[in-house]
């Protein structure tokens, strides 16, 4: 280090035995720490079944559920699911019902001046939305978001159906879904969108807390 403090000199051709020993040691440590396959980020895009994931298929959340790490949360946006929200709405309700991910990619279901909105942020590259045409009236209502992937293959398209009290109000098709995860650090939140906002539509109002009362958010994976 005193002779070459920046480690600019390439010693590979000179210290061949030491280089071989370092390579062997790297393989040992990498195996012990489950580093393989190297380049797993690319691997998971082709083999999302190998991602870290929760074993659960059904969840029941309330408004206290916030900052749940994505890899322990329901696989919304990448798997077929039905999300049911029982909540009480005020006049011209505003705020996030639930959100997963962040500004770099995620999905969110929120109220905008009384209108139900679904938004899928596909890694900033693409954006898909569905918006209910009519305002949800004051009182208790059941919101249902039904997502069906068209294929089990990575990047499959998904059909998304929005219902209010059992009646269809909007639908959209997400042309490409995220294969493994939206991010490594964002989370699942109920009644708010903590961290970076999934949607630019409410970025200036973040965390855009729901101004009504959420009784329960139920998630069922198909």
């Amino acid at each position: 280090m005193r002779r070459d403090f920046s480690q600019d000199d390439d010693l590979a051709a000179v210290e061949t035995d030491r280089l071989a020993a370092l390579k062997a040691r790297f393989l040992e440590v990498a195996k012990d720490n489950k580093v393989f396959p190297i380049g797993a980020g690319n691997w998971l895009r082709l083999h999302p079944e190998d991602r870290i994931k929760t074993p659960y298929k059904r969840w029941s959340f309330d408004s206290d559920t916030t900052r749940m790490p994505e890899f322990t949360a329901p696989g919304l946006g990448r798997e077929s699911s039905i999300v049911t929200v029982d909540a009480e709405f005020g006049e011209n309700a505003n705020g996030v019902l639930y959100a997963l991910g962040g500004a770099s990619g995620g999905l969110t279901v929120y109220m905008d001046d009384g209108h139900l909105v679904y938004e899928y942020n596909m890694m900033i590259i693409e954006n898909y939305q569905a918006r209910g045409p009519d305002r949800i009236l004051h009182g208790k209502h059941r919101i249902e978001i039904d997502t069906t992937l068209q294929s089990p293959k990575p990047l499959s398209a998904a059909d998304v159906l929005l219902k209010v009290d059992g009646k269809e109000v909007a639908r959209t098709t997400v042309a490409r879904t995220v294969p493994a995860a939206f991010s490594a650090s964002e989370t699942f939140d109920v009644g708010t969108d903590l961290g970076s906002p999934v949607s630019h539509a409410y970025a200036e109002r973040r965390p855009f807390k729901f101004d009504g009362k959420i009784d329960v958010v139920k998630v069922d994976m198909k």
Side-chain angles (χ1 to χ4, degrees), residues 75-109:
L76 304 178
R78 64 173 185 252
E79 299 177 49
S80 297
S81 64
I82 297 178
V83 181
T84 305
V85 181
D86 288 327
E88 186 170 352
F89 300 80
E91 295 291 343
N92 302 326
N94 282 288
V96 173
L97 297 176
Y98 65 89
L100 175 68
S104 62
L107 69 81
T108 178
V109 176

Side-chain angles (χ1 to χ4, degrees), residues 144-148 159-163 168-172:
E144 186 176 310
I145 310 297
D146 189 331
T147 302
T148 304
D159 298 313
V160 182
L161 176 64
L162 282 62
K163 295 181 181 180
E168 178 182 340
V169 297
R171 64 168 61 221
T172 189

Side-chain angles (χ1 to χ4, degrees), residues 20-214:
L22 288 170
K23 287 182 177 180
R25 180 57 180 156
F26 173 85
L27 295 176
E28 292 175 7
V29 174
K31 183 178 180 181
D32 289 343
N33 288 276
K34 304 184 186 303
V35 170
F36 298 111
I38 294 176
N42 292 326
W43 175 270
L44 290 176
R45 286 174 172 81
L46 300 174
H47 301 277
E49 67 276 6
D50 289 341
R51 67 180 178 270
I52 298 173
K53 57 184 177 181
T54 175
Y56 301 112
K57 294 296 182 182
R58 302 184 69 185
W59 290 264
S60 182
F61 302 112
D62 59 23
S63 57
D64 291 330
T65 302
T66 58
R67 303 302 285 167
M68 185 177 188
E70 183 173 352
F71 284 103
T72 63
L76 304 178
R78 64 173 185 252
E79 299 177 49
S80 297
S81 64
I82 297 178
V83 181
T84 305
V85 181
D86 288 327
E88 186 170 352
F89 300 80
E91 295 291 343
N92 302 326
N94 282 288
V96 173
L97 297 176
Y98 65 89
L100 175 68
S104 62
L107 69 81
T108 178
V109 176
Y110 62 96
M111 298 301 300
D112 181 26
D113 196 25
H115 296 271
L116 176 66
V117 183
Y118 169 95
E119 184 172 340
Y120 193 108
N121 174 357
M122 177 55 179
M123 317 306 281
I124 310 177
I125 302 170
E126 299 166 0
N127 188 282
Y128 305 93
Q129 294 187 22
R131 181 185 178 94
D134 300 321
R135 286 186 171 92
I136 294 178
L137 300 178
H138 176 277
K140 292 188 175 183
H141 298 278
R142 171 166 289 183
I143 306 299
E144 186 176 310
I145 310 297
D146 189 331
T147 302
T148 304
L149 267 65
Q150 296 180 3
S151 166
K153 295 181 180 179
L155 297 172
S156 168
D159 298 313
V160 182
L161 176 64
L162 282 62
K163 295 181 181 180
V164 177
D165 298 329
K167 179 183 178 181
E168 178 182 340
V169 297
R171 64 168 61 221
T172 189
T173 296
V174 177
R176 293 188 294 176
T177 56
V178 65
F182 286 114
S183 77
S185 59
E186 295 285 0
T187 57
F188 174 73
D189 301 300
V190 173
T192 187
D193 186 359
L194 301 176
S196 62
V198 173
S199 174
H200 288 294
Y202 57 75
E204 297 301 319
R205 294 177 282 176
R206 63 181 183 270
F208 203 34
K209 185 177 177 61
F210 179 55
D211 58 12
K213 180 180 182 296
I214 294 176

